[in-house]
Amino acid sequence: MTAAVLRAGLVGLGSMGRHHARVLAGLDGVQLVGVVDPMGDKNGWAQGAPVLSTVEELIALGIDYAVVACPTALHEEVGLKLAEAGVGALIEKPVADTVEGARRLVEAFESRGLVAGVGHIERCNPALRSLRERLEAGELGDVFQVVTRRQGPFPHRIADVGVVKDLATHDIDLTAWVTGQEYTSIAAHTVSKSGRPHEDMVSAVGQLADGTMVNHLVNWLSPLKERFTSVTGDRGCFIADTLTADLTFYSNAAVATEWEALQAFRGVSEGDMVRFAIPKREPLLVEHELFRDAMRGEEADICTLRQGLRTVEVAAAVLRSAAERTTVRLDDNGGGAA
């Protein structure tokens, strides 16, 4: 029996919303029935769907779920309206601009038994999905360190949050996701060099529950666009480039050397290097397929609101650490104590 077609809506038709509209319009088993944007569809991005002015009008169309791609500061308001109406939601990351707002969203959807998720799209990047599978299979042995670099020019579309909430949340979520470990502490420094009210560069060092060290460097100040993740462990190092969706493994040397200078080195030395051939599907399409399946009641690895809340909690701890110049420890409830 063919599954019933899900009626989907979209809130926000900006630079990210237009891509959501494109994917929704072609997604099997889903019909895009309406888009909300008070500015209208000036660029023809709505894929032929009616463009509405309010979330209430979208709900009145009888939607099963909505994708929330409006500015971060509006996520809570829009999400609560959807939850109250019994509508599922895929909310762009970060789930909310404050910890309190994220918690209210979690409560609103969980208390009603509604399907809801957060658009942490890096979870759908082919390189990171393959990396996670390999870590789960024990290919690296014990994990020692995760390092990420995410830098590039300032995105003029972002005005309501700084680099920590907009960009660093990608790295916070993907680090916890690929390792399966929670953050237990974080220490960070931020700077604002561009004259904007929010920070535009952050450097952070943290620790995960199993003792793994993490390092994040994120900025909007570099002409070089870089999306780099490395995971180092017992058996070598994985490098993921999420711009190209390439995953490479550098193994520790297994062959003895007669070179005296290397024999004196008490660490490891370079072994084989392998770049994996992996299928490279569009991450946004994969994200939508997973959420569609979750809406159908099928098993699907989506980023839950509660996981999205944890990422917001860690991001808040990063900002607190930078402001107070201290290491912030995160307890099981997300609270921070120096």
Side-chain angles (χ1 to χ4, degrees):
M1 182 179 294
T2 303
V5 173
L6 294 166
R7 293 172 61 81
L10 171 64
V11 182
L13 203 52
S15 59
M16 193 64 198
R18 67 189 176 104
H19 294 297
H20 283 294
R22 169 181 56 81
V23 172
L24 283 168
L27 188 61
D28 288 342
V30 173
Q31 179 186 5
L32 177 61
V33 299
V35 176
V36 175
D37 197 309
M39 302 298 292
D41 184 15
K42 297 178 293 184
N43 300 293
W45 290 340
Q47 304 293 319
V51 180
L52 313 168
S53 299
T54 68
V55 175
E56 288 81 3
E57 291 176 83
L58 182 64
I59 292 170
L61 293 178
I63 56 174
D64 297 299
Y65 73 94
V67 177
V68 179
C70 53
T72 304
L74 299 177
H75 286 185
E76 180 187 356
E77 176 187 344
V78 171
L80 292 178
K81 288 180 180 179
L82 294 171
E84 186 176 351
V87 174
L90 174 59
I91 303 174
E92 261 300 341
K93 66 88 212 159
V95 62
D97 60 347
T98 66
V99 172
E100 295 75 19
R103 286 175 179 159
R104 285 189 286 267
L105 285 170
V106 169
E107 169 61 22
F109 283 92
E110 285 189 352
S111 65
R112 294 172 171 85
L114 297 171
V115 176
V118 186
H120 278 291
I121 196 168
E122 291 285 43
R123 294 188 178 206
C124 299
N125 188 285
L128 292 177
R129 291 182 74 82
S130 179
L131 170 56
R132 185 186 190 223
E133 291 172 0
R134 294 175 186 280
L135 292 179
E136 288 179 338
E139 292 185 19
L140 198 59
D142 289 340
V143 174
F144 303 150
Q145 183 184 46
V146 179
V147 176
T148 71
R149 297 195 303 269
R150 185 175 298 268
Q151 47 193 348
F154 179 76
H156 293 284
R157 62 186 174 83
I158 302 297
D160 57 340
V161 295
V163 75
V164 171
K165 291 182 180 178
D166 184 67
L167 280 189
T169 48
H170 279 301
D171 294 314
I172 292 167
D173 179 75
L174 76 84
T175 297
W177 181 70
V178 299
T179 62
Q181 298 292 322
E182 296 274 7
Y183 283 75
T184 56
S185 68
I186 199 83
H189 291 280
T190 61
V191 296
S192 182
K193 296 292 188 180
S194 57
R196 299 178 179 91
H198 302 288
E199 78 289 342
D200 43 36
M201 176 181 282
V202 61
S203 179
V205 178
Q207 189 171 54
L208 304 181
D210 64 351
T212 297
M213 175 188 290
V214 299
N215 302 77
H216 302 308
L217 176 63
V218 189
N219 76 66
W220 278 331
L221 301 177
S222 173
L224 166 70
K225 187 171 185 179
E226 184 180 35
R227 302 290 185 265
F228 170 96
T229 300
S230 74
V231 183
T232 302
D234 265 334
R235 299 173 184 168
C237 178
F238 283 110
I239 303 290
D241 182 336
T242 54
L243 285 177
T244 60
D246 287 327
L247 180 65
T248 305
F249 177 60
Y250 295 84
S251 68
N252 296 338
V255 178
T257 178
E258 296 181 3
W259 185 5
E260 184 177 351
L262 286 182
Q263 283 181 330
F265 180 57
R266 298 183 63 82
V268 297
S269 55
E270 185 177 0
D272 294 332
M273 183 270 283
V274 179
R275 192 177 75 176
F276 299 102
I278 52 179
K280 296 183 179 181
R281 303 185 67 224
E282 181 186 3
L284 190 63
L285 174 58
V286 174
E287 180 180 274
H288 276 275
E289 288 175 345
L290 290 171
F291 193 77
R292 174 203 62 197
D293 294 346
M295 285 294 303
R296 290 172 170 172
E298 300 173 15
E299 189 75 23
D301 183 21
I302 66 171
C303 178
T304 67
L305 290 194
R306 192 164 289 278
Q307 292 169 338
L309 162 62
R310 184 61 174 180
T311 296
V312 173
E313 290 171 340
V314 176
V318 168
L319 292 172
R320 178 185 163 192
S321 171
E324 299 180 359
R325 298 183 180 274
T326 186
T327 297
V328 175
R329 305 194 186 281
L330 293 120
D331 61 31
D332 292 337
N333 298 315

PDB file of all heavy atoms in Angstrom, residues 283-316:
ATOM      1  N   PRO A 283      23.225  16.615   0.701  1.00  0.00           N
ATOM      2  CA  PRO A 283      22.871  16.522   2.119  1.00  0.00           C
ATOM      3  C   PRO A 283      21.458  17.022   2.438  1.00  0.00           C
ATOM      4  O   PRO A 283      20.769  16.409   3.256  1.00  0.00           O
ATOM      5  CB  PRO A 283      23.933  17.386   2.800  1.00  0.00           C
ATOM      6  CG  PRO A 283      25.115  17.290   1.890  1.00  0.00           C
ATOM      7  CD  PRO A 283      24.535  17.275   0.509  1.00  0.00           C
ATOM      8  N   LEU A 284      21.019  18.102   1.816  1.00  0.00           N
ATOM      9  CA  LEU A 284      19.691  18.631   2.127  1.00  0.00           C
ATOM     10  C   LEU A 284      18.600  17.654   1.712  1.00  0.00           C
ATOM     11  O   LEU A 284      17.594  17.495   2.416  1.00  0.00           O
ATOM     12  CB  LEU A 284      19.480  19.982   1.446  1.00  0.00           C
ATOM     13  CG  LEU A 284      18.223  20.744   1.888  1.00  0.00           C
ATOM     14  CD1 LEU A 284      18.278  21.095   3.372  1.00  0.00           C
ATOM     15  CD2 LEU A 284      18.025  22.010   1.052  1.00  0.00           C
ATOM     16  N   LEU A 285      18.786  16.983   0.592  1.00  0.00           N
ATOM     17  CA  LEU A 285      17.808  15.979   0.169  1.00  0.00           C
ATOM     18  C   LEU A 285      17.770  14.827   1.160  1.00  0.00           C
ATOM     19  O   LEU A 285      16.693  14.342   1.541  1.00  0.00           O
ATOM     20  CB  LEU A 285      18.152  15.463  -1.229  1.00  0.00           C
ATOM     21  CG  LEU A 285      17.293  14.311  -1.755  1.00  0.00           C
ATOM     22  CD1 LEU A 285      15.817  14.690  -1.794  1.00  0.00           C
ATOM     23  CD2 LEU A 285      17.783  13.865  -3.133  1.00  0.00           C
ATOM     24  N   VAL A 286      18.935  14.373   1.606  1.00  0.00           N
ATOM     25  CA  VAL A 286      18.990  13.294   2.602  1.00  0.00           C
ATOM     26  C   VAL A 286      18.287  13.725   3.887  1.00  0.00           C
ATOM     27  O   VAL A 286      17.519  12.951   4.483  1.00  0.00           O
ATOM     28  CB  VAL A 286      20.451  12.902   2.893  1.00  0.00           C
ATOM     29  CG1 VAL A 286      20.521  11.883   4.033  1.00  0.00           C
ATOM     30  CG2 VAL A 286      21.111  12.337   1.635  1.00  0.00           C
ATOM     31  N   GLU A 287      18.531  14.959   4.323  1.00  0.00           N
ATOM     32  CA  GLU A 287      17.884  15.475   5.527  1.00  0.00           C
ATOM     33  C   GLU A 287      16.366  15.435   5.403  1.00  0.00           C
ATOM     34  O   GLU A 287      15.653  15.005   6.331  1.00  0.00           O
ATOM     35  CB  GLU A 287      18.347  16.906   5.778  1.00  0.00           C
ATOM     36  CG  GLU A 287      17.737  17.563   7.004  1.00  0.00           C
ATOM     37  CD  GLU A 287      18.267  18.987   7.176  1.00  0.00           C
ATOM     38  OE1 GLU A 287      19.331  19.143   7.793  1.00  0.00           O
ATOM     39  OE2 GLU A 287      17.621  19.935   6.677  1.00  0.00           O
ATOM     40  N   HIS A 288      15.849  15.854   4.251  1.00  0.00           N
ATOM     41  CA  HIS A 288      14.398  15.852   4.042  1.00  0.00           C
ATOM     42  C   HIS A 288      13.839  14.435   3.950  1.00  0.00           C
ATOM     43  O   HIS A 288      12.746  14.161   4.450  1.00  0.00           O
ATOM     44  CB  HIS A 288      14.053  16.649   2.787  1.00  0.00           C
ATOM     45  CG  HIS A 288      13.937  18.115   3.016  1.00  0.00           C
ATOM     46  ND1 HIS A 288      12.771  18.710   3.450  1.00  0.00           N
ATOM     47  CD2 HIS A 288      14.845  19.117   2.909  1.00  0.00           C
ATOM     48  CE1 HIS A 288      12.953  20.018   3.566  1.00  0.00           C
ATOM     49  NE2 HIS A 288      14.215  20.286   3.255  1.00  0.00           N
ATOM     50  N   GLU A 289      14.565  13.532   3.333  1.00  0.00           N
ATOM     51  CA  GLU A 289      14.097  12.151   3.252  1.00  0.00           C
ATOM     52  C   GLU A 289      13.998  11.528   4.648  1.00  0.00           C
ATOM     53  O   GLU A 289      13.026  10.825   4.955  1.00  0.00           O
ATOM     54  CB  GLU A 289      15.038  11.335   2.375  1.00  0.00           C
ATOM     55  CG  GLU A 289      14.946  11.669   0.897  1.00  0.00           C
ATOM     56  CD  GLU A 289      15.975  10.931   0.065  1.00  0.00           C
ATOM     57  OE1 GLU A 289      16.939  10.383   0.642  1.00  0.00           O
ATOM     58  OE2 GLU A 289      15.819  10.891  -1.177  1.00  0.00           O
ATOM     59  N   LEU A 290      14.996  11.794   5.484  1.00  0.00           N
ATOM     60  CA  LEU A 290      14.979  11.251   6.844  1.00  0.00           C
ATOM     61  C   LEU A 290      13.801  11.815   7.633  1.00  0.00           C
ATOM     62  O   LEU A 290      13.118  11.071   8.365  1.00  0.00           O
ATOM     63  CB  LEU A 290      16.298  11.570   7.552  1.00  0.00           C
ATOM     64  CG  LEU A 290      17.534  10.825   7.049  1.00  0.00           C
ATOM     65  CD1 LEU A 290      18.800  11.387   7.687  1.00  0.00           C
ATOM     66  CD2 LEU A 290      17.423   9.334   7.349  1.00  0.00           C
ATOM     67  N   PHE A 291      13.568  13.121   7.500  1.00  0.00           N
ATOM     68  CA  PHE A 291      12.463  13.706   8.259  1.00  0.00           C
ATOM     69  C   PHE A 291      11.116  13.206   7.730  1.00  0.00           C
ATOM     70  O   PHE A 291      10.204  12.933   8.524  1.00  0.00           O
ATOM     71  CB  PHE A 291      12.512  15.234   8.219  1.00  0.00           C
ATOM     72  CG  PHE A 291      11.584  15.854   9.222  1.00  0.00           C
ATOM     73  CD1 PHE A 291      11.921  15.895  10.569  1.00  0.00           C
ATOM     74  CD2 PHE A 291      10.347  16.352   8.840  1.00  0.00           C
ATOM     75  CE1 PHE A 291      11.051  16.434  11.508  1.00  0.00           C
ATOM     76  CE2 PHE A 291       9.465  16.891   9.774  1.00  0.00           C
ATOM     77  CZ  PHE A 291       9.823  16.923  11.109  1.00  0.00           C
ATOM     78  N   ARG A 292      10.983  13.070   6.425  1.00  0.00           N
ATOM     79  CA  ARG A 292       9.754  12.497   5.854  1.00  0.00           C
ATOM     80  C   ARG A 292       9.501  11.109   6.422  1.00  0.00           C
ATOM     81  O   ARG A 292       8.368  10.776   6.822  1.00  0.00           O
ATOM     82  CB  ARG A 292       9.889  12.426   4.336  1.00  0.00           C
ATOM     83  CG  ARG A 292       8.739  11.704   3.624  1.00  0.00           C
ATOM     84  CD  ARG A 292       9.187  11.192   2.272  1.00  0.00           C
ATOM     85  NE  ARG A 292      10.271  10.218   2.389  1.00  0.00           N
ATOM     86  CZ  ARG A 292      11.059   9.857   1.369  1.00  0.00           C
ATOM     87  NH1 ARG A 292      10.882  10.373   0.172  1.00  0.00           N
ATOM     88  NH2 ARG A 292      12.004   8.956   1.570  1.00  0.00           N
ATOM     89  N   ASP A 293      10.548  10.293   6.481  1.00  0.00           N
ATOM     90  CA  ASP A 293      10.383   8.942   7.011  1.00  0.00           C
ATOM     91  C   ASP A 293       9.988   8.964   8.486  1.00  0.00           C
ATOM     92  O   ASP A 293       9.174   8.152   8.938  1.00  0.00           O
ATOM     93  CB  ASP A 293      11.676   8.150   6.826  1.00  0.00           C
ATOM     94  CG  ASP A 293      12.004   7.906   5.355  1.00  0.00           C
ATOM     95  OD1 ASP A 293      11.107   8.122   4.511  1.00  0.00           O
ATOM     96  OD2 ASP A 293      13.155   7.529   5.053  1.00  0.00           O
ATOM     97  N   ALA A 294      10.578   9.900   9.248  1.00  0.00           N
ATOM     98  CA  ALA A 294      10.198  10.036  10.659  1.00  0.00           C
ATOM     99  C   ALA A 294       8.738  10.424  10.794  1.00  0.00           C
ATOM    100  O   ALA A 294       8.023   9.931  11.679  1.00  0.00           O
ATOM    101  CB  ALA A 294      11.095  11.062  11.345  1.00  0.00           C
ATOM    102  N   MET A 295       8.276  11.306   9.918  1.00  0.00           N
ATOM    103  CA  MET A 295       6.868  11.707   9.943  1.00  0.00           C
ATOM    104  C   MET A 295       5.953  10.527   9.625  1.00  0.00           C
ATOM    105  O   MET A 295       4.823  10.458  10.110  1.00  0.00           O
ATOM    106  CB  MET A 295       6.622  12.840   8.938  1.00  0.00           C
ATOM    107  CG  MET A 295       7.126  14.205   9.367  1.00  0.00           C
ATOM    108  SD  MET A 295       6.239  14.883  10.812  1.00  0.00           S
ATOM    109  CE  MET A 295       4.526  14.879  10.239  1.00  0.00           C
ATOM    110  N   ARG A 296       6.439   9.595   8.858  1.00  0.00           N
ATOM    111  CA  ARG A 296       5.654   8.399   8.527  1.00  0.00           C
ATOM    112  C   ARG A 296       5.689   7.357   9.647  1.00  0.00           C
ATOM    113  O   ARG A 296       5.055   6.308   9.547  1.00  0.00           O
ATOM    114  CB  ARG A 296       6.206   7.759   7.249  1.00  0.00           C
ATOM    115  CG  ARG A 296       5.967   8.553   5.977  1.00  0.00           C
ATOM    116  CD  ARG A 296       6.723   7.904   4.828  1.00  0.00           C
ATOM    117  NE  ARG A 296       6.370   8.466   3.530  1.00  0.00           N
ATOM    118  CZ  ARG A 296       6.996   8.186   2.386  1.00  0.00           C
ATOM    119  NH1 ARG A 296       8.008   7.325   2.406  1.00  0.00           N
ATOM    120  NH2 ARG A 296       6.623   8.737   1.262  1.00  0.00           N
ATOM    121  N   GLY A 297       6.462   7.627  10.690  1.00  0.00           N
ATOM    122  CA  GLY A 297       6.573   6.684  11.787  1.00  0.00           C
ATOM    123  C   GLY A 297       7.645   5.644  11.583  1.00  0.00           C
ATOM    124  O   GLY A 297       7.729   4.666  12.336  1.00  0.00           O
ATOM    125  N   GLU A 298       8.506   5.848  10.591  1.00  0.00           N
ATOM    126  CA  GLU A 298       9.572   4.901  10.313  1.00  0.00           C
ATOM    127  C   GLU A 298      10.815   5.260  11.129  1.00  0.00           C
ATOM    128  O   GLU A 298      10.962   6.372  11.620  1.00  0.00           O
ATOM    129  CB  GLU A 298       9.911   4.922   8.816  1.00  0.00           C
ATOM    130  CG  GLU A 298       8.736   4.552   7.921  1.00  0.00           C
ATOM    131  CD  GLU A 298       9.040   4.747   6.446  1.00  0.00           C
ATOM    132  OE1 GLU A 298      10.238   4.886   6.096  1.00  0.00           O
ATOM    133  OE2 GLU A 298       8.096   4.771   5.636  1.00  0.00           O
ATOM    134  N   GLU A 299      11.720   4.296  11.261  1.00  0.00           N
ATOM    135  CA  GLU A 299      12.986   4.530  11.940  1.00  0.00           C
ATOM    136  C   GLU A 299      13.822   5.470  11.082  1.00  0.00           C
ATOM    137  O   GLU A 299      14.097   5.190   9.922  1.00  0.00           O
ATOM    138  CB  GLU A 299      13.729   3.207  12.133  1.00  0.00           C
ATOM    139  CG  GLU A 299      14.949   3.309  13.014  1.00  0.00           C
ATOM    140  CD  GLU A 299      14.603   3.446  14.487  1.00  0.00           C
ATOM    141  OE1 GLU A 299      13.497   3.044  14.878  1.00  0.00           O
ATOM    142  OE2 GLU A 299      15.472   3.950  15.232  1.00  0.00           O
ATOM    143  N   ALA A 300      14.234   6.610  11.648  1.00  0.00           N
ATOM    144  CA  ALA A 300      15.004   7.586  10.883  1.00  0.00           C
ATOM    145  C   ALA A 300      15.934   8.342  11.819  1.00  0.00           C
ATOM    146  O   ALA A 300      15.519   8.785  12.892  1.00  0.00           O
ATOM    147  CB  ALA A 300      14.069   8.566  10.161  1.00  0.00           C
ATOM    148  N   ASP A 301      17.170   8.490  11.404  1.00  0.00           N
ATOM    149  CA  ASP A 301      18.195   9.126  12.236  1.00  0.00           C
ATOM    150  C   ASP A 301      18.158  10.644  12.039  1.00  0.00           C
ATOM    151  O   ASP A 301      18.995  11.218  11.349  1.00  0.00           O
ATOM    152  CB  ASP A 301      19.572   8.568  11.878  1.00  0.00           C
ATOM    153  CG  ASP A 301      20.677   9.126  12.765  1.00  0.00           C
ATOM    154  OD1 ASP A 301      20.358   9.605  13.865  1.00  0.00           O
ATOM    155  OD2 ASP A 301      21.851   9.085  12.351  1.00  0.00           O
ATOM    156  N   ILE A 302      17.160  11.285  12.643  1.00  0.00           N
ATOM    157  CA  ILE A 302      17.072  12.746  12.565  1.00  0.00           C
ATOM    158  C   ILE A 302      17.692  13.364  13.820  1.00  0.00           C
ATOM    159  O   ILE A 302      17.843  12.692  14.842  1.00  0.00           O
ATOM    160  CB  ILE A 302      15.613  13.231  12.417  1.00  0.00           C
ATOM    161  CG1 ILE A 302      14.800  12.914  13.679  1.00  0.00           C
ATOM    162  CG2 ILE A 302      14.957  12.625  11.177  1.00  0.00           C
ATOM    163  CD1 ILE A 302      13.409  13.547  13.699  1.00  0.00           C
ATOM    164  N   CYS A 303      18.049  14.631  13.723  1.00  0.00           N
ATOM    165  CA  CYS A 303      18.509  15.367  14.896  1.00  0.00           C
ATOM    166  C   CYS A 303      17.282  15.807  15.676  1.00  0.00           C
ATOM    167  O   CYS A 303      16.480  16.608  15.195  1.00  0.00           O
ATOM    168  CB  CYS A 303      19.333  16.581  14.482  1.00  0.00           C
ATOM    169  SG  CYS A 303      19.900  17.592  15.877  1.00  0.00           S
ATOM    170  N   THR A 304      17.094  15.278  16.859  1.00  0.00           N
ATOM    171  CA  THR A 304      15.916  15.609  17.651  1.00  0.00           C
ATOM    172  C   THR A 304      16.036  17.006  18.246  1.00  0.00           C
ATOM    173  O   THR A 304      17.122  17.591  18.318  1.00  0.00           O
ATOM    174  CB  THR A 304      15.744  14.600  18.797  1.00  0.00           C
ATOM    175  OG1 THR A 304      16.836  14.757  19.723  1.00  0.00           O
ATOM    176  CG2 THR A 304      15.721  13.172  18.274  1.00  0.00           C
ATOM    177  N   LEU A 305      14.900  17.538  18.700  1.00  0.00           N
ATOM    178  CA  LEU A 305      14.921  18.844  19.357  1.00  0.00           C
ATOM    179  C   LEU A 305      15.772  18.803  20.621  1.00  0.00           C
ATOM    180  O   LEU A 305      16.461  19.779  20.947  1.00  0.00           O
ATOM    181  CB  LEU A 305      13.499  19.301  19.714  1.00  0.00           C
ATOM    182  CG  LEU A 305      12.568  19.694  18.574  1.00  0.00           C
ATOM    183  CD1 LEU A 305      11.347  20.427  19.134  1.00  0.00           C
ATOM    184  CD2 LEU A 305      13.244  20.541  17.526  1.00  0.00           C
ATOM    185  N   ARG A 306      15.719  17.688  21.317  1.00  0.00           N
ATOM    186  CA  ARG A 306      16.508  17.589  22.552  1.00  0.00           C
ATOM    187  C   ARG A 306      18.007  17.613  22.237  1.00  0.00           C
ATOM    188  O   ARG A 306      18.789  18.219  22.978  1.00  0.00           O
ATOM    189  CB  ARG A 306      16.123  16.326  23.321  1.00  0.00           C
ATOM    190  CG  ARG A 306      16.673  16.279  24.744  1.00  0.00           C
ATOM    191  CD  ARG A 306      15.962  15.238  25.579  1.00  0.00           C
ATOM    192  NE  ARG A 306      14.604  15.637  25.897  1.00  0.00           N
ATOM    193  CZ  ARG A 306      14.271  16.452  26.888  1.00  0.00           C
ATOM    194  NH1 ARG A 306      15.215  16.982  27.654  1.00  0.00           N
ATOM    195  NH2 ARG A 306      13.017  16.748  27.120  1.00  0.00           N
ATOM    196  N   GLN A 307      18.413  16.980  21.159  1.00  0.00           N
ATOM    197  CA  GLN A 307      19.813  17.064  20.741  1.00  0.00           C
ATOM    198  C   GLN A 307      20.157  18.482  20.286  1.00  0.00           C
ATOM    199  O   GLN A 307      21.254  18.988  20.562  1.00  0.00           O
ATOM    200  CB  GLN A 307      20.079  16.062  19.615  1.00  0.00           C
ATOM    201  CG  GLN A 307      20.010  14.617  20.075  1.00  0.00           C
ATOM    202  CD  GLN A 307      19.999  13.632  18.916  1.00  0.00           C
ATOM    203  OE1 GLN A 307      19.640  13.986  17.787  1.00  0.00           O
ATOM    204  NE2 GLN A 307      20.385  12.391  19.188  1.00  0.00           N
ATOM    205  N   GLY A 308      19.219  19.124  19.606  1.00  0.00           N
ATOM    206  CA  GLY A 308      19.430  20.509  19.204  1.00  0.00           C
ATOM    207  C   GLY A 308      19.542  21.434  20.394  1.00  0.00           C
ATOM    208  O   GLY A 308      20.321  22.400  20.382  1.00  0.00           O
ATOM    209  N   LEU A 309      18.765  21.159  21.431  1.00  0.00           N
ATOM    210  CA  LEU A 309      18.859  21.922  22.683  1.00  0.00           C
ATOM    211  C   LEU A 309      20.256  21.792  23.277  1.00  0.00           C
ATOM    212  O   LEU A 309      20.843  22.789  23.728  1.00  0.00           O
ATOM    213  CB  LEU A 309      17.805  21.420  23.676  1.00  0.00           C
ATOM    214  CG  LEU A 309      18.006  21.779  25.154  1.00  0.00           C
ATOM    215  CD1 LEU A 309      17.975  23.294  25.365  1.00  0.00           C
ATOM    216  CD2 LEU A 309      16.946  21.090  26.022  1.00  0.00           C
ATOM    217  N   ARG A 310      20.787  20.577  23.286  1.00  0.00           N
ATOM    218  CA  ARG A 310      22.120  20.380  23.876  1.00  0.00           C
ATOM    219  C   ARG A 310      23.168  21.210  23.127  1.00  0.00           C
ATOM    220  O   ARG A 310      24.069  21.790  23.742  1.00  0.00           O
ATOM    221  CB  ARG A 310      22.493  18.904  23.826  1.00  0.00           C
ATOM    222  CG  ARG A 310      23.839  18.595  24.502  1.00  0.00           C
ATOM    223  CD  ARG A 310      23.826  18.956  25.972  1.00  0.00           C
ATOM    224  NE  ARG A 310      25.055  18.534  26.650  1.00  0.00           N
ATOM    225  CZ  ARG A 310      25.301  18.723  27.938  1.00  0.00           C
ATOM    226  NH1 ARG A 310      24.397  19.330  28.688  1.00  0.00           N
ATOM    227  NH2 ARG A 310      26.422  18.313  28.485  1.00  0.00           N
ATOM    228  N   THR A 311      23.048  21.289  21.813  1.00  0.00           N
ATOM    229  CA  THR A 311      23.983  22.097  21.030  1.00  0.00           C
ATOM    230  C   THR A 311      23.877  23.571  21.401  1.00  0.00           C
ATOM    231  O   THR A 311      24.895  24.263  21.524  1.00  0.00           O
ATOM    232  CB  THR A 311      23.718  21.898  19.530  1.00  0.00           C
ATOM    233  OG1 THR A 311      23.984  20.529  19.188  1.00  0.00           O
ATOM    234  CG2 THR A 311      24.590  22.804  18.681  1.00  0.00           C
ATOM    235  N   VAL A 312      22.655  24.068  21.606  1.00  0.00           N
ATOM    236  CA  VAL A 312      22.469  25.457  22.024  1.00  0.00           C
ATOM    237  C   VAL A 312      23.072  25.677  23.404  1.00  0.00           C
ATOM    238  O   VAL A 312      23.670  26.729  23.686  1.00  0.00           O
ATOM    239  CB  VAL A 312      20.974  25.838  21.995  1.00  0.00           C
ATOM    240  CG1 VAL A 312      20.748  27.226  22.589  1.00  0.00           C
ATOM    241  CG2 VAL A 312      20.447  25.793  20.568  1.00  0.00           C
ATOM    242  N   GLU A 313      22.938  24.687  24.293  1.00  0.00           N
ATOM    243  CA  GLU A 313      23.526  24.794  25.632  1.00  0.00           C
ATOM    244  C   GLU A 313      25.050  24.902  25.564  1.00  0.00           C
ATOM    245  O   GLU A 313      25.661  25.709  26.272  1.00  0.00           O
ATOM    246  CB  GLU A 313      23.107  23.590  26.481  1.00  0.00           C
ATOM    247  CG  GLU A 313      21.640  23.597  26.861  1.00  0.00           C
ATOM    248  CD  GLU A 313      21.188  22.292  27.513  1.00  0.00           C
ATOM    249  OE1 GLU A 313      21.878  21.256  27.332  1.00  0.00           O
ATOM    250  OE2 GLU A 313      20.137  22.308  28.172  1.00  0.00           O
ATOM    251  N   VAL A 314      25.658  24.094  24.696  1.00  0.00           N
ATOM    252  CA  VAL A 314      27.111  24.155  24.566  1.00  0.00           C
ATOM    253  C   VAL A 314      27.533  25.488  23.947  1.00  0.00           C
ATOM    254  O   VAL A 314      28.513  26.107  24.378  1.00  0.00           O
ATOM    255  CB  VAL A 314      27.649  22.978  23.733  1.00  0.00           C
ATOM    256  CG1 VAL A 314      29.162  23.101  23.526  1.00  0.00           C
ATOM    257  CG2 VAL A 314      27.321  21.647  24.409  1.00  0.00           C
ATOM    258  N   ALA A 315      26.782  25.965  22.953  1.00  0.00           N
ATOM    259  CA  ALA A 315      27.091  27.263  22.342  1.00  0.00           C
ATOM    260  C   ALA A 315      27.002  28.383  23.376  1.00  0.00           C
ATOM    261  O   ALA A 315      27.845  29.295  23.403  1.00  0.00           O
ATOM    262  CB  ALA A 315      26.151  27.536  21.176  1.00  0.00           C
ATOM    263  N   ALA A 316      25.996  28.312  24.245  1.00  0.00           N
ATOM    264  CA  ALA A 316      25.866  29.309  25.313  1.00  0.00           C
ATOM    265  C   ALA A 316      27.052  29.234  26.263  1.00  0.00           C
ATOM    266  O   ALA A 316      27.543  30.265  26.751  1.00  0.00           O
ATOM    267  CB  ALA A 316      24.558  29.100  26.070  1.00  0.00           C
TER     268      ALA A 316
END
